[in-house]
Amino acid sequence: MRFAAEFRSESRAAAIADAIKRCATKSWRIMEVCGGQTHTIMQYGLQDLLPEKIELLHGPGCPVCVTGLDLIDKAIAIAARSDVIFCSYGDMLRVPGSSQDLNDVKAAGADVRVVYSPLDCLRIARENREKKVVFLAIGFETTAPANAMAVKQAKQQQLENFFLLCSHVTVPPVIEGLLRSQDNVVQAFLGPGHVCSVMGFRQYERVSQTYKIPIVITGFEPLDILDGIYKAVVQLEESRYCVENQYKRVVERNGNAPAQKVMEEVFEVCDQNWRGLGVIAQSGLRLNESYRRYDAENVFHVKTQPVEIVSPCISAEVLKGLKKPHDCPAFGKECTPEHPLGATMVSSEGACAAYFRYRRFEDEK
Ligand code: SF4
């Protein structure tokens, strides 16, 4: 495939892997932040090209995986109402809540629709004025601008029946949360290329300097990731720490100013509950005062009870890089993509789903 092939060349991959081997004198643990990067690493078997000294850890950068259980329960409660059309990206329908998922309420007769853009929901709201149309707005800084734009357009079009159930998360606070935790094992990060295409990487410069940790903003093709690993290993071996931009063809230091502007106009920073990681201060985005009337939580006043779930799922440790999916006793047995017990098996970008798809039989070799 033209354009992609140049980032997937086997000979160039072998050359970079060889450079990493020659450079690495010690053991290093490097975490890729994005689920998309995890998927590429698994699909192309990149870990197998690396020396044993280099261990890749799979981070919390899959939005489906980290959306809080409480938010899923609220989504289910709102979707079950007869006056609501509930819209969501497809993956979210299978994320387990405390007792059921959105597919269950859809099967029971609720009007739950899969959409590909928040702008689809504006059309549905225009065509169904007698219903309240709610969009499940999840994701990192990559999806926030489109959701902000949808709310802005709803205001401009005086759409009274469009709402967001909002659970946006942001990357720098979760990186800082991992680095602050007692059990942190991460020694360098491959930064999130897509997120940085929107936000730039100035925030990551502060994180790198504060925690004295190398961060390489990295793309999603196999050669991008190998190059990101190489750059991280060079810094680690030289006892340096700074932000390097491997993904220069997409990311600029200041990011996308118009996208940031619409986010600032519509959202404000808030604390956020991450599945498996708990509440992280100032790590989320919610609708600000000017746009609060579009906030589904304010409109429906849904209260959920904290639930103690008994489950073999170790996805919290997987998201922190402390364990691998193969360490989970349920992996590939009780837990599969068809019957996921945890969110990291639901999304194709989740580490457990990626291992299931590409490394399921590894223990049997
Ligand atoms: S394999 Fe399933 S149960 Fe185990 S950690 Fe992954 S999502 Fe959780």
Side-chain angles (χ1 to χ4, degrees):
M1 187 196 304
R2 208 172 155 234
F3 303 124
E6 60 191 298
F7 301 105
R8 298 175 186 176
S9 153
E10 277 185 47
S11 59
R12 289 175 67 189
I16 302 172
D18 194 47
I20 294 169
K21 275 182 201 137
R22 282 186 272 109
C23 177
T25 63
K26 301 181 194 153
S27 295
W28 301 112
R29 295 195 192 98
I30 301 170
M31 174 177 275
E32 82 277 2
V33 171
C34 281
Q37 293 165 334
T38 304
H39 192 271
T40 300
I41 288 165
M42 292 299 141
Q43 182 178 4
Y44 291 92
L46 299 186
Q47 177 75 66
D48 297 338
L49 297 179
L50 301 175
E52 279 185 14
K53 293 188 182 91
I54 307 299
E55 184 182 359
L56 299 180
L57 309 175
H58 317 304
C62 160
V64 174
C65 304
V66 299
T67 299
L69 186 69
D70 56 335
L71 195 279
I72 303 297
D73 284 347
K74 280 180 191 164
I76 289 166
I78 293 170
R81 291 173 58 113
S82 59
D83 59 343
V84 163
I85 298 174
F86 196 88
C87 302
S88 169
Y89 297 130
D91 269 5
M92 292 305 294
L93 269 58
R94 300 193 311 121
V95 178
S98 52
S99 62
Q100 52 184 345
D101 60 30
L102 281 165
N103 265 334
D104 294 328
V105 282
K106 183 175 166 65
D111 192 346
V112 177
R113 302 186 189 184
V114 172
V115 293
Y116 298 96
S117 155
L119 298 180
D120 293 343
C121 304
L122 293 183
R123 176 184 48 76
I124 293 169
R126 277 194 300 275
E127 292 169 355
N128 296 273
R129 302 257 178 191
E130 74 291 356
K131 295 276 190 166
K132 296 181 176 77
V133 176
V134 180
F135 178 60
L136 182 51
I138 64 141
F140 287 89
E141 296 95 321
T142 36
T143 53
N147 292 339
M149 188 56 80
V151 178
K152 211 176 145 174
Q153 288 192 8
K155 191 173 188 181
Q156 286 163 352
Q157 296 170 18
Q158 299 179 326
L159 268 177
E160 304 281 316
N161 63 330
F162 171 78
F163 306 96
L164 290 189
L165 180 60
C166 200
S167 182
H168 275 297
V169 283
T170 55
V171 173
V174 74
I175 289 183
E176 291 193 80
L178 290 174
L179 290 170
R180 275 197 301 264
S181 72
Q182 300 274 337
D183 49 8
N184 173 52
V185 293
V186 183
Q187 293 168 298
F189 285 97
L190 303 187
H194 285 160
V195 166
C196 292
S197 71
V198 175
M199 302 306 291
F201 54 83
R202 286 181 302 166
Q203 295 167 296
Y204 298 83
E205 291 170 344
R206 181 186 58 74
V207 175
S208 173
Q209 292 308 304
T210 303
Y211 296 92
K212 300 183 174 26
I213 187 144
I215 301 177
V216 182
I217 310 302
T218 302
F220 296 82
E221 292 293 337
L223 295 190
D224 289 326
I225 290 171
L226 288 170
D227 189 32
I229 293 166
Y230 173 72
K231 286 177 164 56
V233 170
V234 169
Q235 283 198 45
L236 289 163
E237 290 284 338
E238 294 176 357
S239 301
R240 287 192 295 117
Y241 50 86
C242 66
V243 173
E244 277 184 81
N245 183 12
Q246 184 283 326
Y247 204 28
K248 283 187 181 137
R249 66 185 186 278
V250 174
V251 173
E252 294 179 1
R253 182 168 180 263
N254 292 324
N256 180 330
Q260 292 169 29
K261 187 163 177 272
V262 73
M263 286 168 66
E264 279 163 23
E265 181 184 333
V266 171
F267 291 122
E268 65 185 15
V269 174
C270 63
D271 297 347
Q272 189 61 271
N273 184 25
W274 295 60
R275 194 170 190 136
L277 302 175
V279 175
I280 300 176
Q282 304 286 286
S283 68
L285 299 172
R286 68 180 174 201
L287 293 167
N288 64 26
E289 192 60 41
S290 304
Y291 288 88
R292 192 132 314 145
R293 72 164 299 284
Y294 299 95
D295 187 337
E297 293 208 48
N298 277 0
V299 174
F300 297 102
H301 302 292
V302 178
K303 293 270 177 271
T304 52
Q305 299 295 325
V307 186
E308 186 96 9
I309 295 200
V310 180
S311 163
C313 184
I314 59 162
S315 58
E317 282 114 312
V318 173
L319 289 170
K320 290 181 197 166
L322 300 175
K323 295 211 167 148
K324 294 280 168 56
H326 278 147
D327 298 326
C328 175
F331 176 82
K333 299 181 182 103
E334 298 98 318
C335 185
T336 64
E338 286 70 40
H339 299 286
L341 294 184
T344 44
M345 188 60 97
V346 172
S347 166
S348 60
E349 293 191 351
C352 295
Y355 270 66
F356 185 87
R357 185 159 181 198
Y358 297 112
R359 301 183 75 163
R360 177 172 17 153
F361 302 114
E362 195 171 73
D363 289 345
E364 297 167 17
K365 282 179 188 170

